[in-house]
Structures are given as structure tokens and as C-alpha cells.
Amino acid sequence: MPNIKIGVLGLQGAVREHVKAIEANNAEAIIIKKKEQLDEIDGFIIPGGESTTMRRLIDKYDFMDALQTFAQSGKPIFGTCAGLILLAKSIKGYDKPHIGVMDVQVERNSFGRQRESFEANLDIAGVAEDFTAVFIRAPHIVSVGENVEVLAKHNDRIVAAREGQFLGCSFHPELTEDHRLTGYFINMAIEAKQHLFA
Ligand code: GLN
């Protein structure tokens, strides 16, 4: 395998667990705390946490322009839970998106109070038919643009999708020992690296 470096946004949220999932797939993990570090990596994971807090920190540490530039470079980005909310072009009930690059509309905290957190078994296209997914105050994808491939649903709600270089899921793939979805993302980074620098 080529030497693939995956960055994890390290401003807030479930960072360490993503590092473990990346390393379990034999790629190198880099915790990103400064925007200059984005130049070093082949793919970027935005973890779960609290999207409003993460947005505040993105602004505070002046990350937004660098994130847009990274997205324009064609390198893959994987948003998990709050990370998906940050990537979405539209957030139900809000005027403006955050990074706003993936052609999906999301709704925050959309599985109801009673079900603040739960596990579900998912069939994720191209990844696994039996994936245990951990949902924590999770968003779901309300609608997708024409170039978006729906990868998984739970109770008829879209919970994982891909649009070319962008991968998003409602749940926390890093919180179990099943690292296949992270592996799928690392393959996206390998393919992009071969393609972008061919
Ligand atoms: N509810 C959080 C938000 O709206 C997301 C929760 C999570 O990332 N686990 O940002």
C-alpha cells in the first residue's frame, strides 16, 4: 500500500478513536490542529462532536478558507456525524451551511429525544452488510443531489452517502472495532492520490 496520510480535525470531538481506526487500516494518522497541516495529508476526516462548537473553533483558528481550498483540491473528505453536518450544503432550519461542499441536506438531532443514542445494524453498499453503527444525537440525510450515491439507510432514513470525493455518515464508525468504513475511505484517498498525481 502507498504511504497514505489521513488527517483528523483535532479541534473538538472523537479524535483519538479515529486515529486508532486509521492506524488499524495501516495508514498514517495525523491530528490536524493547524491549517498548514492540511498540505501534508491525502484525506481528511471531520469527526463527530458538536457542529456548532466545531464551527466556532474553525472560525477561531481561521480554518475555513483552508478547508474550502482542501475540498477544491479533489482530495477526499469524510464527515462523521457532526462532521457530516459541517460538510452538508444545506442544514434543515438553518439559513447557511458551514463548509457547504457535499450536495445533501441534513437535519440535526433527528432521531428523537428518546433515542439520544443507539446501535443499529446497517447494510452499507460497497462496505459491509453487517455493520454495527453507533448513533449519538445523530443527524440524518433528508435529501441528496443527483450525483450523490446513497450507501445506507436506517428505518428509511439515509445515514450514509458518497458524492465523489465526499463521504458522510450519521453515525460514529470509529467507536467499534469494525474499521471497514474507515478502510473504504482510505481506499478513496489511495485512488485519489493515484488519480490526482498520475
Ligand atoms: N448533535 C450534534 C450536532 O448537531 C452531532 C452529534 C455527534 O456528532 N455525535 O452537531
Side-chain angles (χ1 to χ4, degrees), residues 48-52 80-82 85 108-109 136-139 172:
E50 188 59 40
S51 54
T52 48
T80 67
C81 204
I85 298 168
R108 295 179 65 198
N109 303 323
I136 305 170
R137 286 176 290 105
H172 282 258

Side-chain angles (χ1 to χ4, degrees), residues 9 11 33-36 38 54-68:
L9 186 62
L11 300 179
K33 289 189 183 274
K34 292 192 189 128
K35 60 183 176 178
E36 291 75 21
L38 290 169
M54 279 163 69
R55 172 58 193 273
R56 211 167 345 104
L57 295 171
I58 283 170
D59 291 341
K60 181 172 173 193
Y61 294 102
D62 192 26
F63 255 93
M64 191 51 96
D65 285 351
L67 291 174
Q68 302 283 350

Side-chain angles (χ1 to χ4, degrees), residues 11-178:
L11 300 179
Q12 195 237 3
V15 178
R16 274 267 137 227
E17 293 82 358
H18 275 292
V19 167
K20 271 177 61 189
I22 293 163
E23 290 174 349
N25 280 288
N26 298 317
E28 188 178 336
I30 299 176
I31 297 174
I32 305 290
K33 289 189 183 274
K34 292 192 189 128
K35 60 183 176 178
E36 291 75 21
Q37 291 174 285
L38 290 169
D39 296 337
E40 301 168 30
I41 57 174
D42 305 303
F44 184 50
I45 294 177
I46 307 178
E50 188 59 40
S51 54
T52 48
T53 306
M54 279 163 69
R55 172 58 193 273
R56 211 167 345 104
L57 295 171
I58 283 170
D59 291 341
K60 181 172 173 193
Y61 294 102
D62 192 26
F63 255 93
M64 191 51 96
D65 285 351
L67 291 174
Q68 302 283 350
T69 304
F70 188 89
Q72 279 159 19
S73 75
K75 291 181 182 177
I77 307 182
F78 183 15
T80 67
C81 204
L84 165 65
I85 298 168
L86 290 169
L87 283 184
K89 279 194 177 164
S90 167
I91 306 166
K92 197 171 170 186
Y94 293 77
D95 292 341
K96 284 191 189 145
H98 298 296
I99 305 169
V101 288
M102 184 172 177
D103 196 7
V104 295
Q105 182 180 58
V106 295
E107 182 177 353
R108 295 179 65 198
N109 303 323
S110 60
F111 286 92
R113 281 240 183 98
Q114 267 86 47
R115 307 193 70 202
E116 284 241 309
S117 85
F118 60 96
E119 284 185 13
N121 203 51
L122 301 180
D123 182 350
I124 309 178
V127 179
E129 287 173 5
D130 55 349
F131 192 92
T132 302
V134 179
F135 292 78
I136 305 170
R137 286 176 290 105
H140 84 284
I141 297 174
V142 179
S143 61
V144 300
E146 58 178 335
N147 295 320
V148 179
E149 184 192 354
V150 172
L151 300 183
K153 288 186 178 179
H154 173 63
N155 290 347
D156 285 330
R157 289 179 158 187
I158 302 168
V159 293
R162 176 176 177 180
E163 181 189 19
Q165 75 189 104
F166 303 120
L167 180 67
C169 68
S170 300
F171 49 89
H172 282 258
E174 78 287 4
L175 292 183
T176 68
E177 296 301 311
D178 186 341

